[in-house]
Every structure is written in C-alpha cells, then in structure tokens.
Short mmCIF file of all heavy atoms in Angstrom, two decimals:
data_model
loop_
_atom_site.label_atom_id
_atom_site.label_comp_id
_atom_site.label_asym_id
_atom_site.label_seq_id
_atom_site.Cartn_x
_atom_site.Cartn_y
_atom_site.Cartn_z
N MET A 201 0.84 -1.19 0.00
CA MET A 201 0.00 0.00 0.00
C MET A 201 0.88 1.24 0.00
O MET A 201 1.95 1.26 0.59
CB MET A 201 -0.91 0.00 1.23
CG MET A 201 -1.70 1.28 1.40
SD MET A 201 -2.82 1.21 2.80
CE MET A 201 -4.17 0.25 2.11
N LYS A 202 0.38 2.25 -0.66
CA LYS A 202 1.08 3.53 -0.68
C LYS A 202 0.07 4.63 -0.35
O LYS A 202 -1.06 4.61 -0.83
CB LYS A 202 1.70 3.76 -2.06
CG LYS A 202 2.59 4.99 -2.15
CD LYS A 202 3.30 4.99 -3.49
CE LYS A 202 4.07 6.29 -3.73
NZ LYS A 202 5.07 6.54 -2.70
N ILE A 203 0.51 5.57 0.50
CA ILE A 203 -0.38 6.65 0.93
C ILE A 203 0.10 7.98 0.37
O ILE A 203 1.30 8.27 0.44
CB ILE A 203 -0.40 6.80 2.47
CG1 ILE A 203 -0.63 5.47 3.16
CG2 ILE A 203 -1.44 7.81 2.90
CD1 ILE A 203 -0.48 5.57 4.67
N THR A 204 -0.83 8.75 -0.12
CA THR A 204 -0.52 10.14 -0.43
C THR A 204 -1.67 11.01 0.10
O THR A 204 -2.78 10.53 0.31
CB THR A 204 -0.35 10.39 -1.94
OG1 THR A 204 -1.48 9.86 -2.64
CG2 THR A 204 0.91 9.74 -2.47
N ILE A 205 -1.36 12.27 0.32
CA ILE A 205 -2.38 13.26 0.69
C ILE A 205 -2.46 14.29 -0.42
O ILE A 205 -1.43 14.81 -0.87
CB ILE A 205 -2.04 13.94 2.03
CG1 ILE A 205 -2.18 12.95 3.18
CG2 ILE A 205 -2.94 15.16 2.26
CD1 ILE A 205 -1.79 13.51 4.53
N ASP A 206 -3.66 14.57 -0.86
CA ASP A 206 -3.86 15.61 -1.87
C ASP A 206 -3.87 16.95 -1.15
O ASP A 206 -4.83 17.28 -0.44
CB ASP A 206 -5.18 15.38 -2.61
CG ASP A 206 -5.39 16.36 -3.74
OD1 ASP A 206 -4.77 17.45 -3.69
OD2 ASP A 206 -6.17 16.06 -4.65
N PRO A 207 -2.81 17.74 -1.29
CA PRO A 207 -2.73 19.00 -0.55
C PRO A 207 -3.81 20.00 -0.95
O PRO A 207 -4.16 20.89 -0.16
CB PRO A 207 -1.33 19.53 -0.88
CG PRO A 207 -0.97 18.86 -2.16
CD PRO A 207 -1.66 17.55 -2.17
N ALA A 208 -4.34 19.84 -2.14
CA ALA A 208 -5.40 20.75 -2.59
C ALA A 208 -6.71 20.46 -1.86
O ALA A 208 -7.56 21.34 -1.72
CB ALA A 208 -5.59 20.63 -4.09
N LEU A 209 -6.88 19.23 -1.40
CA LEU A 209 -8.10 18.84 -0.69
C LEU A 209 -7.98 18.99 0.82
O LEU A 209 -8.95 19.29 1.50
CB LEU A 209 -8.47 17.39 -1.03
CG LEU A 209 -8.96 17.11 -2.45
CD1 LEU A 209 -9.20 15.60 -2.61
CD2 LEU A 209 -10.22 17.88 -2.76
N CYS A 210 -6.79 18.74 1.36
CA CYS A 210 -6.58 18.74 2.82
C CYS A 210 -7.00 20.09 3.41
O CYS A 210 -6.60 21.14 2.93
CB CYS A 210 -5.12 18.45 3.14
SG CYS A 210 -4.74 18.55 4.91
N ARG A 211 -7.78 20.02 4.48
CA ARG A 211 -8.25 21.23 5.16
C ARG A 211 -7.72 21.32 6.58
O ARG A 211 -8.32 21.96 7.44
CB ARG A 211 -9.78 21.26 5.16
CG ARG A 211 -10.40 21.52 3.81
CD ARG A 211 -10.09 22.94 3.31
NE ARG A 211 -10.57 23.20 1.98
CZ ARG A 211 -9.86 23.02 0.86
NH1 ARG A 211 -8.62 22.58 0.94
NH2 ARG A 211 -10.36 23.29 -0.32
N SER A 212 -6.62 20.62 6.83
CA SER A 212 -5.94 20.71 8.13
C SER A 212 -6.86 20.35 9.29
O SER A 212 -6.81 20.99 10.35
CB SER A 212 -5.36 22.12 8.35
OG SER A 212 -4.60 22.51 7.24
N ARG A 213 -7.69 19.36 9.09
CA ARG A 213 -8.62 18.97 10.16
C ARG A 213 -7.94 18.12 11.23
O ARG A 213 -8.55 17.81 12.25
CB ARG A 213 -9.81 18.20 9.57
CG ARG A 213 -10.61 19.01 8.57
CD ARG A 213 -11.37 20.14 9.24
NE ARG A 213 -11.92 21.07 8.29
CZ ARG A 213 -13.03 20.90 7.59
NH1 ARG A 213 -13.73 19.80 7.74
NH2 ARG A 213 -13.43 21.80 6.74
N ALA A 214 -6.72 17.70 10.98
CA ALA A 214 -5.85 17.08 12.00
C ALA A 214 -6.23 15.66 12.42
O ALA A 214 -5.58 15.11 13.29
CB ALA A 214 -5.75 17.97 13.24
N ARG A 215 -7.26 15.12 11.86
CA ARG A 215 -7.64 13.77 12.30
C ARG A 215 -6.54 12.76 12.01
O ARG A 215 -6.24 11.91 12.85
CB ARG A 215 -8.93 13.33 11.61
CG ARG A 215 -10.14 13.99 12.19
CD ARG A 215 -11.38 13.27 11.77
NE ARG A 215 -12.54 14.09 12.08
CZ ARG A 215 -13.76 13.84 11.66
NH1 ARG A 215 -13.98 12.80 10.90
NH2 ARG A 215 -14.75 14.61 11.97
N CYS A 216 -5.99 12.82 10.83
CA CYS A 216 -5.00 11.79 10.47
C CYS A 216 -3.81 11.83 11.42
O CYS A 216 -3.43 10.80 11.98
CB CYS A 216 -4.55 11.93 9.03
SG CYS A 216 -3.82 13.52 8.61
N TYR A 217 -3.22 12.99 11.64
CA TYR A 217 -2.00 13.02 12.46
C TYR A 217 -2.27 13.03 13.95
O TYR A 217 -1.36 12.80 14.75
CB TYR A 217 -1.03 14.13 12.04
CG TYR A 217 -1.55 15.54 11.99
CD1 TYR A 217 -1.69 16.30 13.13
CD2 TYR A 217 -1.88 16.12 10.76
CE1 TYR A 217 -2.13 17.61 13.07
CE2 TYR A 217 -2.32 17.43 10.68
CZ TYR A 217 -2.44 18.18 11.84
OH TYR A 217 -2.88 19.47 11.76
N ASN A 218 -3.49 13.26 14.37
CA ASN A 218 -3.81 13.10 15.79
C ASN A 218 -4.15 11.65 16.12
O ASN A 218 -3.86 11.18 17.22
CB ASN A 218 -4.99 13.98 16.19
CG ASN A 218 -4.58 15.41 16.42
OD1 ASN A 218 -3.40 15.71 16.60
ND2 ASN A 218 -5.54 16.32 16.42
N LEU A 219 -4.74 10.93 15.18
CA LEU A 219 -5.21 9.57 15.45
C LEU A 219 -4.21 8.49 15.01
O LEU A 219 -4.12 7.44 15.64
CB LEU A 219 -6.54 9.32 14.74
CG LEU A 219 -7.74 10.13 15.23
CD1 LEU A 219 -8.94 9.88 14.32
CD2 LEU A 219 -8.07 9.77 16.66
N TYR A 220 -3.47 8.74 13.96
CA TYR A 220 -2.60 7.70 13.38
C TYR A 220 -1.19 8.24 13.28
O TYR A 220 -0.67 8.54 12.20
CB TYR A 220 -3.16 7.25 12.03
CG TYR A 220 -4.58 6.78 12.15
CD1 TYR A 220 -5.64 7.60 11.81
CD2 TYR A 220 -4.88 5.52 12.68
CE1 TYR A 220 -6.96 7.19 11.97
CE2 TYR A 220 -6.17 5.09 12.85
CZ TYR A 220 -7.21 5.94 12.49
OH TYR A 220 -8.51 5.53 12.66
N THR A 221 -0.57 8.35 14.44
CA THR A 221 0.74 9.00 14.52
C THR A 221 1.86 8.15 13.93
O THR A 221 2.96 8.65 13.74
CB THR A 221 1.07 9.32 15.99
OG1 THR A 221 0.97 8.10 16.76
CG2 THR A 221 0.09 10.34 16.56
N ASP A 222 1.57 6.87 13.66
CA ASP A 222 2.58 6.04 13.02
C ASP A 222 2.66 6.31 11.52
O ASP A 222 3.63 5.95 10.86
CB ASP A 222 2.31 4.55 13.28
CG ASP A 222 0.86 4.16 13.00
OD1 ASP A 222 0.02 5.07 12.77
OD2 ASP A 222 0.57 2.96 13.01
N LEU A 223 1.66 6.95 10.97
CA LEU A 223 1.60 7.16 9.52
C LEU A 223 1.65 8.63 9.11
O LEU A 223 2.07 8.94 7.99
CB LEU A 223 0.31 6.55 8.96
CG LEU A 223 0.20 5.03 9.02
CD1 LEU A 223 -1.19 4.60 8.60
CD2 LEU A 223 1.24 4.40 8.11
N PHE A 224 1.19 9.53 10.00
CA PHE A 224 1.06 10.93 9.60
C PHE A 224 1.65 11.85 10.67
O PHE A 224 1.71 11.52 11.84
CB PHE A 224 -0.43 11.30 9.43
CG PHE A 224 -1.16 10.44 8.46
CD1 PHE A 224 -1.86 9.32 8.90
CD2 PHE A 224 -1.15 10.71 7.10
CE1 PHE A 224 -2.55 8.51 8.01
CE2 PHE A 224 -1.84 9.91 6.19
CZ PHE A 224 -2.54 8.81 6.65
N ARG A 225 2.04 13.02 10.22
CA ARG A 225 2.46 14.09 11.13
C ARG A 225 1.93 15.41 10.58
O ARG A 225 1.50 15.49 9.42
CB ARG A 225 3.98 14.12 11.25
CG ARG A 225 4.67 14.48 9.95
CD ARG A 225 6.19 14.38 10.08
NE ARG A 225 6.79 14.36 8.75
CZ ARG A 225 7.86 13.64 8.43
NH1 ARG A 225 8.46 12.88 9.32
NH2 ARG A 225 8.35 13.68 7.20
N GLU A 226 2.00 16.42 11.43
CA GLU A 226 1.55 17.74 11.01
C GLU A 226 2.64 18.41 10.20
O GLU A 226 3.78 18.52 10.66
CB GLU A 226 1.19 18.59 12.23
CG GLU A 226 0.66 19.95 11.84
CD GLU A 226 0.26 20.78 13.06
OE1 GLU A 226 0.51 20.33 14.19
OE2 GLU A 226 -0.30 21.87 12.85
N GLY A 227 2.30 18.86 9.02
CA GLY A 227 3.27 19.59 8.21
C GLY A 227 3.42 21.02 8.69
O GLY A 227 2.65 21.50 9.53
N THR A 228 4.40 21.72 8.19
CA THR A 228 4.66 23.09 8.63
C THR A 228 3.49 24.02 8.31
O THR A 228 3.32 25.05 8.95
CB THR A 228 5.95 23.64 7.97
OG1 THR A 228 5.84 23.47 6.55
CG2 THR A 228 7.17 22.91 8.47
N ASP A 229 2.69 23.65 7.32
CA ASP A 229 1.53 24.46 6.95
C ASP A 229 0.27 24.02 7.68
O ASP A 229 -0.82 24.52 7.40
CB ASP A 229 1.31 24.40 5.44
CG ASP A 229 1.20 22.97 4.93
OD1 ASP A 229 1.24 22.02 5.76
OD2 ASP A 229 1.07 22.79 3.72
N GLY A 230 0.41 23.06 8.62
CA GLY A 230 -0.75 22.58 9.38
C GLY A 230 -1.50 21.47 8.67
O GLY A 230 -2.44 20.89 9.24
N LYS A 231 -1.11 21.18 7.46
CA LYS A 231 -1.77 20.09 6.74
C LYS A 231 -1.14 18.75 7.11
O LYS A 231 -0.04 18.69 7.65
CB LYS A 231 -1.65 20.33 5.23
CG LYS A 231 -2.42 21.56 4.78
CD LYS A 231 -2.42 21.71 3.28
CE LYS A 231 -3.28 22.90 2.87
NZ LYS A 231 -3.40 23.04 1.41
N GLY A 232 -1.87 17.69 6.80
CA GLY A 232 -1.35 16.37 7.07
C GLY A 232 -0.17 16.05 6.17
O GLY A 232 -0.12 16.48 5.02
N GLU A 233 0.77 15.28 6.73
CA GLU A 233 1.95 14.88 5.97
C GLU A 233 2.16 13.38 6.19
O GLU A 233 2.07 12.91 7.33
CB GLU A 233 3.15 15.66 6.50
CG GLU A 233 4.33 15.72 5.57
CD GLU A 233 5.36 16.73 6.08
OE1 GLU A 233 6.19 16.35 6.92
OE2 GLU A 233 5.29 17.90 5.68
N VAL A 234 2.42 12.65 5.14
CA VAL A 234 2.63 11.21 5.25
C VAL A 234 4.06 10.94 5.72
O VAL A 234 5.01 11.50 5.19
CB VAL A 234 2.40 10.53 3.89
CG1 VAL A 234 2.63 9.02 4.01
CG2 VAL A 234 0.99 10.80 3.38
N ILE A 235 4.20 10.10 6.75
CA ILE A 235 5.52 9.75 7.26
C ILE A 235 6.15 8.65 6.41
O ILE A 235 7.31 8.73 6.04
CB ILE A 235 5.44 9.29 8.73
CG1 ILE A 235 4.96 10.43 9.62
CG2 ILE A 235 6.78 8.76 9.21
CD1 ILE A 235 4.67 10.02 11.05
N ILE A 236 5.36 7.61 6.13
CA ILE A 236 5.88 6.47 5.36
C ILE A 236 5.48 6.68 3.90
O ILE A 236 4.34 6.43 3.52
CB ILE A 236 5.33 5.13 5.89
CG1 ILE A 236 5.66 4.98 7.38
CG2 ILE A 236 5.89 3.97 5.10
CD1 ILE A 236 5.05 3.75 8.03
N THR A 237 6.41 7.14 3.11
CA THR A 237 6.08 7.50 1.73
C THR A 237 6.32 6.35 0.75
O THR A 237 5.88 6.43 -0.40
CB THR A 237 6.90 8.72 1.28
OG1 THR A 237 8.29 8.44 1.50
CG2 THR A 237 6.50 9.96 2.07
N GLU A 238 7.01 5.30 1.20
CA GLU A 238 7.23 4.17 0.30
C GLU A 238 6.12 3.12 0.49
O GLU A 238 5.35 3.19 1.46
CB GLU A 238 8.62 3.54 0.52
CG GLU A 238 8.81 2.94 1.89
CD GLU A 238 9.31 3.94 2.93
OE1 GLU A 238 9.37 5.15 2.64
OE2 GLU A 238 9.59 3.51 4.06
N ASP A 239 6.06 2.16 -0.41
CA ASP A 239 5.08 1.07 -0.30
C ASP A 239 5.32 0.27 0.97
O ASP A 239 6.46 0.06 1.38
CB ASP A 239 5.21 0.13 -1.50
CG ASP A 239 4.59 0.71 -2.75
OD1 ASP A 239 3.53 1.33 -2.64
OD2 ASP A 239 5.19 0.53 -3.82
N PHE A 240 4.24 -0.21 1.59
CA PHE A 240 4.38 -1.08 2.75
C PHE A 240 3.30 -2.14 2.72
O PHE A 240 2.27 -1.98 2.05
CB PHE A 240 4.32 -0.29 4.07
CG PHE A 240 3.05 0.49 4.25
CD1 PHE A 240 1.93 -0.11 4.83
CD2 PHE A 240 2.97 1.80 3.85
CE1 PHE A 240 0.75 0.61 5.00
CE2 PHE A 240 1.79 2.53 4.01
CZ PHE A 240 0.69 1.92 4.59
N GLU A 241 3.54 -3.25 3.44
CA GLU A 241 2.58 -4.35 3.46
C GLU A 241 2.14 -4.71 4.87
O GLU A 241 1.27 -5.58 5.04
CB GLU A 241 3.19 -5.59 2.79
CG GLU A 241 3.46 -5.37 1.30
CD GLU A 241 4.04 -6.61 0.65
OE1 GLU A 241 4.14 -7.66 1.32
OE2 GLU A 241 4.42 -6.51 -0.53
N ASP A 242 2.74 -4.10 5.88
CA ASP A 242 2.41 -4.41 7.26
C ASP A 242 0.90 -4.30 7.49
O ASP A 242 0.29 -3.26 7.22
CB ASP A 242 3.15 -3.44 8.19
CG ASP A 242 2.88 -3.73 9.65
OD1 ASP A 242 1.83 -3.27 10.16
OD2 ASP A 242 3.69 -4.41 10.27
N GLU A 243 0.29 -5.37 7.98
CA GLU A 243 -1.17 -5.43 8.09
C GLU A 243 -1.74 -4.37 9.04
O GLU A 243 -2.79 -3.78 8.77
CB GLU A 243 -1.61 -6.83 8.55
CG GLU A 243 -1.57 -7.84 7.42
CD GLU A 243 -2.13 -9.19 7.84
OE1 GLU A 243 -2.98 -9.24 8.75
OE2 GLU A 243 -1.71 -10.20 7.25
N ASP A 244 -1.05 -4.14 10.14
CA ASP A 244 -1.53 -3.13 11.10
C ASP A 244 -1.52 -1.74 10.47
O ASP A 244 -2.44 -0.95 10.68
CB ASP A 244 -0.67 -3.14 12.37
CG ASP A 244 -0.90 -4.39 13.21
OD1 ASP A 244 -1.96 -5.02 13.06
OD2 ASP A 244 -0.01 -4.74 14.00
N LEU A 245 -0.49 -1.46 9.70
CA LEU A 245 -0.41 -0.15 9.05
C LEU A 245 -1.46 -0.02 7.96
O LEU A 245 -2.03 1.06 7.76
CB LEU A 245 0.99 0.06 8.47
CG LEU A 245 2.13 0.22 9.49
CD1 LEU A 245 3.46 0.44 8.77
CD2 LEU A 245 1.86 1.37 10.45
N VAL A 246 -1.73 -1.12 7.26
CA VAL A 246 -2.77 -1.09 6.23
C VAL A 246 -4.13 -0.79 6.87
O VAL A 246 -4.91 0.02 6.35
CB VAL A 246 -2.81 -2.42 5.45
CG1 VAL A 246 -4.06 -2.50 4.57
CG2 VAL A 246 -1.56 -2.57 4.58
N VAL A 247 -4.40 -1.41 8.02
CA VAL A 247 -5.66 -1.16 8.73
C VAL A 247 -5.73 0.30 9.16
O VAL A 247 -6.76 0.98 8.99
CB VAL A 247 -5.79 -2.10 9.96
CG1 VAL A 247 -6.94 -1.66 10.86
CG2 VAL A 247 -6.00 -3.54 9.50
N ASP A 248 -4.63 0.82 9.73
CA ASP A 248 -4.60 2.22 10.16
C ASP A 248 -4.78 3.17 8.98
O ASP A 248 -5.49 4.17 9.07
CB ASP A 248 -3.29 2.54 10.89
CG ASP A 248 -3.31 2.06 12.33
OD1 ASP A 248 -4.35 1.55 12.78
OD2 ASP A 248 -2.27 2.20 13.00
N ALA A 249 -4.12 2.88 7.88
CA ALA A 249 -4.22 3.75 6.70
C ALA A 249 -5.64 3.77 6.17
O ALA A 249 -6.16 4.83 5.79
CB ALA A 249 -3.24 3.27 5.63
N THR A 250 -6.29 2.61 6.16
CA THR A 250 -7.67 2.53 5.69
C THR A 250 -8.59 3.31 6.61
O THR A 250 -9.47 4.06 6.15
CB THR A 250 -8.11 1.06 5.61
OG1 THR A 250 -7.20 0.36 4.76
CG2 THR A 250 -9.51 0.94 5.05
N SER A 251 -8.37 3.17 7.93
CA SER A 251 -9.19 3.91 8.90
C SER A 251 -8.97 5.41 8.76
O SER A 251 -9.91 6.20 8.84
CB SER A 251 -8.84 3.48 10.32
OG SER A 251 -9.12 2.11 10.50
N ALA A 252 -7.74 5.80 8.54
CA ALA A 252 -7.43 7.23 8.40
C ALA A 252 -8.11 7.80 7.16
O ALA A 252 -8.67 8.90 7.20
CB ALA A 252 -5.91 7.42 8.31
N ALA A 253 -8.05 7.05 6.06
CA ALA A 253 -8.68 7.53 4.83
C ALA A 253 -10.19 7.69 5.04
O ALA A 253 -10.79 8.65 4.56
CB ALA A 253 -8.38 6.56 3.69
N ASN A 254 -10.77 6.75 5.78
CA ASN A 254 -12.22 6.83 6.04
C ASN A 254 -12.54 7.98 7.00
O ASN A 254 -13.64 8.54 6.95
CB ASN A 254 -12.72 5.52 6.63
CG ASN A 254 -12.73 4.41 5.59
OD1 ASN A 254 -12.84 4.66 4.40
ND2 ASN A 254 -12.60 3.17 6.05
N ALA A 255 -11.59 8.33 7.87
CA ALA A 255 -11.83 9.36 8.88
C ALA A 255 -11.62 10.78 8.34
O ALA A 255 -12.13 11.74 8.91
CB ALA A 255 -10.90 9.14 10.08
N CYS A 256 -10.87 10.90 7.26
CA CYS A 256 -10.60 12.24 6.72
C CYS A 256 -11.91 12.82 6.18
O CYS A 256 -12.51 12.25 5.28
CB CYS A 256 -9.55 12.18 5.63
SG CYS A 256 -9.27 13.80 4.86
N PRO A 257 -12.34 13.96 6.72
CA PRO A 257 -13.66 14.50 6.35
C PRO A 257 -13.74 15.03 4.92
O PRO A 257 -14.83 15.26 4.41
CB PRO A 257 -13.88 15.63 7.36
CG PRO A 257 -12.53 15.99 7.85
CD PRO A 257 -11.69 14.77 7.77
N VAL A 258 -12.58 15.22 4.29
CA VAL A 258 -12.61 15.76 2.93
C VAL A 258 -12.06 14.79 1.89
O VAL A 258 -11.87 15.16 0.73
CB VAL A 258 -11.84 17.10 2.87
CG1 VAL A 258 -12.58 18.17 3.69
CG2 VAL A 258 -10.41 16.94 3.34
N GLY A 259 -11.78 13.57 2.31
CA GLY A 259 -11.32 12.56 1.35
C GLY A 259 -9.97 12.88 0.73
O GLY A 259 -9.72 12.55 -0.43
N ALA A 260 -9.09 13.51 1.51
CA ALA A 260 -7.79 13.93 0.97
C ALA A 260 -6.73 12.83 1.00
O ALA A 260 -5.68 12.98 0.38
CB ALA A 260 -7.29 15.14 1.73
N ILE A 261 -7.02 11.75 1.75
CA ILE A 261 -6.03 10.67 1.87
C ILE A 261 -6.29 9.64 0.78
O ILE A 261 -7.36 9.03 0.73
CB ILE A 261 -6.09 10.03 3.27
CG1 ILE A 261 -5.74 11.08 4.32
CG2 ILE A 261 -5.14 8.83 3.37
CD1 ILE A 261 -5.95 10.63 5.76
N ILE A 262 -5.30 9.45 -0.06
CA ILE A 262 -5.44 8.56 -1.22
C ILE A 262 -4.61 7.31 -0.98
O ILE A 262 -3.42 7.39 -0.65
CB ILE A 262 -4.97 9.28 -2.49
CG1 ILE A 262 -5.83 10.52 -2.73
CG2 ILE A 262 -5.00 8.34 -3.69
CD1 ILE A 262 -5.15 11.60 -3.49
N LEU A 263 -5.24 6.15 -1.12
CA LEU A 263 -4.56 4.88 -0.93
C LEU A 263 -4.43 4.16 -2.26
O LEU A 263 -5.38 4.10 -3.03
CB LEU A 263 -5.35 3.99 0.05
CG LEU A 263 -5.68 4.60 1.41
CD1 LEU A 263 -6.48 3.61 2.25
CD2 LEU A 263 -4.40 5.02 2.15
N GLU A 264 -3.25 3.63 -2.51
CA GLU A 264 -3.00 2.82 -3.71
C GLU A 264 -2.65 1.41 -3.24
O GLU A 264 -1.81 1.25 -2.36
CB GLU A 264 -1.87 3.38 -4.53
CG GLU A 264 -2.15 4.74 -5.13
CD GLU A 264 -0.88 5.34 -5.74
OE1 GLU A 264 -0.31 4.71 -6.65
OE2 GLU A 264 -0.47 6.41 -5.30
N TYR A 265 -3.30 0.42 -3.83
CA TYR A 265 -3.06 -0.97 -3.44
C TYR A 265 -2.23 -1.69 -4.48
O TYR A 265 -2.20 -1.33 -5.63
CB TYR A 265 -4.40 -1.70 -3.28
CG TYR A 265 -5.26 -1.11 -2.19
CD1 TYR A 265 -6.15 -0.09 -2.49
CD2 TYR A 265 -5.15 -1.54 -0.88
CE1 TYR A 265 -6.95 0.47 -1.50
CE2 TYR A 265 -5.95 -0.99 0.12
CZ TYR A 265 -6.84 0.01 -0.20
OH TYR A 265 -7.63 0.56 0.78
S1 LIG B 80 -7.55 14.24 8.21
FE1 LIG B 80 -7.69 14.90 6.05
S2 LIG B 80 -8.10 17.12 6.16
FE2 LIG B 80 -7.31 16.47 8.17
S3 LIG B 80 -5.09 16.87 8.09
FE3 LIG B 80 -5.47 14.72 7.50
S4 LIG B 80 -5.60 14.75 5.26
FE4 LIG B 80 -5.88 16.85 5.97
#
C-alpha cells in the first residue's frame, strides 16, 4: 500500500496526524503529511491507513493498493 495526501483537498482537520501517529504528522503548513512514503505491506499499518482515509472529512487521503 502507498499513501498520499492531496494538498489541494486537505483542510488541516488534523484527524490523520492526531489519530494515526505512526503514519502521519503535522506539516509546517498545518496540513497532514505522510511519514511512510514508500510502499508497505504491514497489516496493522494497512488497517490504520484505511481507517485514516475513512476518517478524513474531505477525502484527501489517497490509498493505492
Ligand atoms: S484528516 Fe484529512 S483534512 Fe485532516 S489533516 Fe489529515 S488529510 Fe488533511
């Protein structure tokens, strides 16, 4: 799985980096920033990434399988 955030959609609602600190952090502009930018297969991280994408109120978290 690979995670990206669409900066044009992100509204700095902070859910991703407050809830899933293993995958996201707050960027200098207050928007979400992906920590793990390369592909990963770890099942726990895949579950967290899926939950984060579902939790983002503006659909800015994009998952590639
Ligand atoms: S939850 Fe969505 S809107 Fe909020 S910081 Fe993360 S990507 Fe941006």
